[in-house]
Amino acid sequence: MSWAAIAIVITVLLAYGDSLRLPFFYDDLQHLVWLHGQSLGSIFVSAADRPYYRPMQFFAWKLYEVIFGVDSALVYHGLNLVLHVLNGLLVVSLVRRLTPRPDRWWPAILTGLIFVTFPFAYQVVPLPASLTHPMATMFVLLALLTYDRFQFSGHRRWLITALGCGLVAFISNEGSILLGGLIALWIFIRSPQEKRWRWVGLFIALAAIYYLWYQSRQADSSGTLTLRNPETITQNAIYILQGLSIPLQPFGQALMNFGASDQAAASIAALIALGSVAVVLWRTHMFHRFVFAVGWYGLCAAPAILLLSHNYLINSPRLMYLGFVGAAWLWASVVEVVWDLHWPTLVRRLTTLAVAAGILIPPFIFVRERMNLYMLTVTPIQSVIDVVRRSHPTDRLLFINLPAWLGPSRSWYPIGHEGVLFLQKSISMNDFLLANIGRSVPAKAIEFDNLSAPQPYYYGIYGPSLDWAPLNVQVRAADNVYLTIYSPQSIDLVEAGRILKAPSSSENTVATFGGSLILENPVWSMCANRLKVTLNWLTSQVVPGNLAIFVHILNSDGTLVAQHDSPPLMGLMPFWQWQVGDRVEDNHPIDLSALSDNQSYTIAIGLYDSGTGQRLSATLVNGDQPSDNAVPIGSFILNSDRQSCTAN
């Protein structure tokens, strides 16, 4: 078992270890907002306007909050990781009890590895709000294993323990309500000579009592479940079959490239995969494994197939988490069949290794791609948290184009959405900040599509969508404005600038452009390959044309080596929206990573008409006019220590 623990812990950390760096997000936020108004006792008494009644998850969080006085994203993410590892080990134990050869450990370990690399667990492990699924799975597996102890020892304490685990599984997630069926299936496969069927009725009765209690606790009608029409049930069943036949489903995606519909492609791939496995296990006298795997998966998925809308189900592959216990053993059995073939030893071992790798590696890569999407999304979100921590409680902060969700440019499987969800529009920025840092500021988040650009991934924006006029109102009301910049490899939050409220002073004037724009006291700072140039502008009259600002970095012979061009505030406050007398603090970030070390560079700025490219005339405070209408504002030497920070 020690080797199983080592293998599973390493695999889970490699797949999901990055999740420890994530803040609270998506459903975490509404759960925490609701939970702050509850007590340890009230969680069990009522769902309190929630669409479902799952007190065990909330009890774990509330207990931590009561003991330590604060919620911890690190602890709650860590809890999900720990439960995922424990479930992998429990799956290993389950398979060990179902297999007849005590000297062969590797099929059980392989089953555990297949389970913890279940691709759709990317919606479970990184999201604390999904704790309900690994928690319920853990107690279902414990109920099964303790019932097995009772079955073979006859000691009633094991039966009582199994019933207790079953009850906790129910109040962890209602999806475990068919536990009695899973135990009956276990008895059928595990001990055909001695079946203690009469005790299964206790689990069925417990589930019935719990169901009545569950229905009486729901105060939100949106949680009401109804039987779906035949078309929806069929669509749901095909999607669930996709989860059972995961190793072959990329073939279904290939079929779609030849014109097949998503439903047809998933069905064909599932039929080929499951039909082949059924024949192979039948011929090798292991068809009982197929019955157990498909039966387990089907029992766990039945409520979702029958009661949920298709749109909800394809956006919630996490619902297959418990069912994948059966699927994991099914595909591990295929590998075991290959191992037992009467082939030359080297060929047999290499083939076994190749089949196992074909089952394990693609899902692992899929999970890592989703985790990369999470980490891509969290960069600007974490920057928001850092900005608010440094800000004054009364600061009015405006965040523009924060990512709400990210999706990959290509899909692995025929049906379903494979992106990551981060911010719901129904959750306010105030709730997000309260959950993550325990306080908030008068912050707002908005969407401004005019600056959006296509990327090699799909993304959605958090906040209400505004056009130029309402955006201008929000920018003028804010104490600081931040813009999210999307690029193929990163998503970054940059400080765009602000409208200054303090009066101007002629002593700060550096240059005048076009006779109407005054540059005051420019400053710059440099840290970790990033140069931030802050330009303070004052307009004395209406600015004509569609002007852009350039910030050039010139080497010692005057060659342009880096630059940043944009209208003021990263394009959020173009000059045509300015009013006479406006003073604007305008930031320009420049990447210095491509520049050479130990060289001197000059910063020069100016303005030009973005339509014609013609530069505005520049006049220095002493009356001189630069020949190229570019005003030098400072110089710096880029040292080899790129992490050091300097400023003028």
Side-chain angles (χ1 to χ4, degrees):
M1 197 65 173
S2 60
W3 284 109
I6 293 171
I8 287 173
V9 167
I10 291 174
T11 301
V12 170
L13 288 178
L14 288 174
Y16 292 108
D18 289 342
S19 66
L20 294 173
R21 297 158 51 194
L22 295 174
F24 291 122
F25 65 100
Y26 202 62
D27 282 346
D28 299 342
L29 306 177
Q30 59 177 331
H31 288 350
L32 290 170
V33 169
W34 172 79
L35 194 58
H36 288 160
Q38 303 299 313
S39 67
L40 285 171
S42 67
I43 294 168
F44 290 92
V45 173
S46 172
D49 298 323
R50 303 292 294 159
Y52 39 69
Y53 173 74
R54 298 169 182 172
M56 275 306 298
Q57 169 183 354
F58 298 128
F59 176 76
W61 285 6
K62 191 66 180 182
L63 183 62
Y64 184 89
E65 179 193 315
V66 168
I67 294 174
F68 297 99
V70 65
D71 295 299
S72 169
L74 175 63
V75 171
Y76 295 179
H77 280 294
L79 181 58
N80 278 32
L81 281 175
V82 169
L83 289 186
H84 193 50
V85 168
L86 287 177
N87 286 334
L89 294 174
L90 289 172
V91 168
V92 172
S93 181
L94 179 147
V95 173
R96 285 291 295 159
R97 297 195 186 190
L98 289 174
T99 49
R101 294 184 58 175
D103 60 323
R104 181 181 285 186
W105 267 89
W106 69 261
I109 298 175
L110 178 62
T111 305
L113 291 173
I114 294 173
F115 174 79
V116 297
T117 55
F118 172 49
F120 296 145
Y122 84 90
Q123 261 196 357
V124 176
V125 183
L127 184 64
S130 293
L131 174 66
T132 175
H133 297 286
M135 180 179 282
T137 299
M138 179 182 69
F139 285 111
V140 164
L141 293 174
L142 286 174
L144 205 63
L145 293 171
T146 51
Y147 185 84
D148 186 69
R149 284 290 187 93
F150 162 68
Q151 188 168 351
F152 285 91
S153 70
H155 297 308
R156 297 291 176 86
R157 64 176 181 272
W158 290 113
L159 175 61
I160 295 171
T161 303
L163 288 168
C165 289
L167 178 60
V168 178
F170 296 160
I171 59 178
S172 297
N173 187 284
E174 64 280 3
S176 60
I177 201 167
L178 294 180
L179 173 60
L182 298 178
I183 290 179
L185 182 65
W186 172 272
I187 294 171
F188 178 77
I189 298 298
R190 171 85 162 108
S191 53
Q193 303 302 322
E194 184 181 359
K195 304 182 180 62
R196 298 177 181 268
W197 296 105
R198 64 184 182 277
W199 301 111
V200 176
L202 289 177
F203 292 90
I204 296 174
L206 185 65
I209 294 170
Y210 172 73
Y211 176 76
L212 295 175
W213 172 260
Y214 178 89
Q215 290 295 98
S216 69
R217 297 304 93 194
Q218 288 183 281
D220 186 342
S221 60
S222 66
T224 303
L225 302 175
T226 57
L227 185 66
R228 300 293 167 171
N229 60 52
E231 180 183 5
T232 299
I233 292 174
T234 301
Q235 293 173 336
N236 287 350
I238 293 173
Y239 178 63
I240 292 298
L241 279 175
Q242 176 179 266
L244 181 60
S245 53
I246 276 291
L248 207 63
Q249 283 301 326
F251 170 68
Q253 182 64 42
L255 290 176
M256 292 178 64
N257 296 333
F258 289 95
S261 69
D262 56 353
Q263 296 278 324
S267 299
I268 293 171
L271 290 175
I272 293 174
L274 299 178
S276 301
V277 172
V279 170
V280 167
L281 294 182
W282 176 271
R283 292 175 62 87
T284 53
H285 307 290
M286 291 194 293
F287 191 70
H288 62 284
R289 299 193 183 189
F290 185 85
V291 172
F292 180 85
V294 174
W296 178 290
Y297 190 83
L299 281 170
C300 295
I305 293 173
L306 298 173
L307 303 175
L308 297 179
S309 69
H310 186 59
N311 183 63
Y312 183 89
L313 185 57
I314 64 173
N315 283 288
S316 308
R318 59 187 177 274
L319 298 176
M320 291 183 267
Y321 184 85
L322 174 59
F324 200 73
V325 172
W329 193 36
L330 179 69
W331 292 103
S333 297
V334 171
V335 179
E336 193 171 2
V337 167
V338 175
W339 179 265
D340 288 331
L341 291 173
H342 299 296
W343 291 357
T345 301
L346 180 60
V347 174
R348 175 171 55 85
R349 290 179 177 178
L350 290 176
T351 305
T352 302
L353 184 62
V355 174
I359 293 172
L360 285 172
I361 293 177
F364 182 85
I365 295 173
F366 177 90
V367 168
R368 285 306 310 164
E369 287 185 358
R370 292 335 94 169
M371 289 305 301
N372 289 338
L373 289 177
Y374 277 123
M375 302 317 296
L376 191 64
T377 311
V378 79
T379 301
I381 303 300
Q382 186 60 53
S383 296
V384 170
I385 294 173
D386 295 338
V387 164
V388 173
R389 281 181 173 147
R390 296 192 303 265
S391 66
H392 190 274
T394 61
D395 284 351
R396 294 166 296 180
L397 306 179
L398 180 63
F399 299 101
I400 299 174
N401 289 352
L402 292 175
W405 58 266
L406 256 65
S409 58
R410 66 177 184 89
S411 297
W412 281 66
Y413 307 113
I415 307 174
H417 304 148
E418 299 175 2
V420 300
L421 306 170
F422 222 89
L423 292 173
Q424 300 181 76
K425 292 192 176 183
S426 60
I427 293 294
S428 69
M429 179 60 68
N430 183 66
D431 290 337
F432 171 78
L433 295 173
L434 283 174
N436 282 287
I437 62 176
R439 73 175 182 90
S440 65
V441 298
K444 291 184 178 180
I446 63 172
E447 175 182 359
F448 185 63
D449 287 332
N450 300 53
L451 299 182
S452 298
Q455 298 297 336
Y457 47 81
Y458 299 109
Y459 62 95
I461 303 299
Y462 172 65
S465 180
L466 301 185
D467 208 340
W468 282 112
L471 171 68
N472 186 262
V473 173
Q474 295 293 338
V475 169
R476 291 181 178 277
D479 291 315
N480 262 310
V481 179
Y482 298 84
L483 176 65
T484 310
I485 303 297
Y486 293 78
S487 66
Q489 302 300 326
S490 66
I491 304 175
D492 298 298
L493 186 74
V494 298
E495 185 179 1
R498 55 180 173 162
I499 309 297
L500 295 171
K501 310 301 190 293
S504 174
S505 172
S506 59
E507 296 179 357
N508 295 327
T509 300
V510 174
T512 302
F513 294 86
S516 59
L517 280 168
I518 299 171
L519 175 64
E520 299 179 324
N521 193 29
V523 296
W524 57 266
S525 61
M526 181 175 57
C527 193
N529 277 329
R530 178 71 65 174
L531 176 68
K532 174 186 173 185
V533 178
T534 301
L535 306 175
N536 297 302
W537 299 100
L538 169 66
T539 177
S540 59
Q541 58 185 355
V542 176
V543 181
N546 191 13
L547 303 178
I549 301 164
F550 67 81
V551 179
H552 287 176
I553 308 301
L554 310 173
N555 65 14
S556 56
D557 63 6
T559 302
L560 177 66
V561 292
Q563 70 184 95
H564 183 268
D565 292 31
S566 79
L569 270 64
M570 306 293 292
L572 297 169
M573 190 70 178
F575 285 112
W576 56 266
Q577 286 207 325
W578 286 35
Q579 301 170 8
V580 176
D582 275 347
R583 294 186 65 234
V584 174
E585 182 180 279
D586 172 40
N587 293 318
H588 293 262
I590 300 177
D591 183 12
L592 304 178
S593 58
L595 274 60
S596 301
D597 293 338
N598 303 315
Q599 291 193 25
S600 178
Y601 297 95
T602 299
I603 307 170
I605 70 103
L607 294 102
Y608 64 93
D609 188 304
S610 58
T612 65
Q614 183 177 357
R615 293 184 179 183
L616 263 65
S617 61
T619 304
L620 301 180
V621 69
N622 61 6
D624 292 343
Q625 291 184 311
S627 58
D628 57 357
N629 290 313
V631 176
I633 63 170
S635 61
F636 62 90
I637 295 177
L638 193 60
N639 297 319
S640 56
D641 181 11
R642 297 294 183 100
Q643 299 304 313
S644 62
C645 298
T646 59
N648 67 333

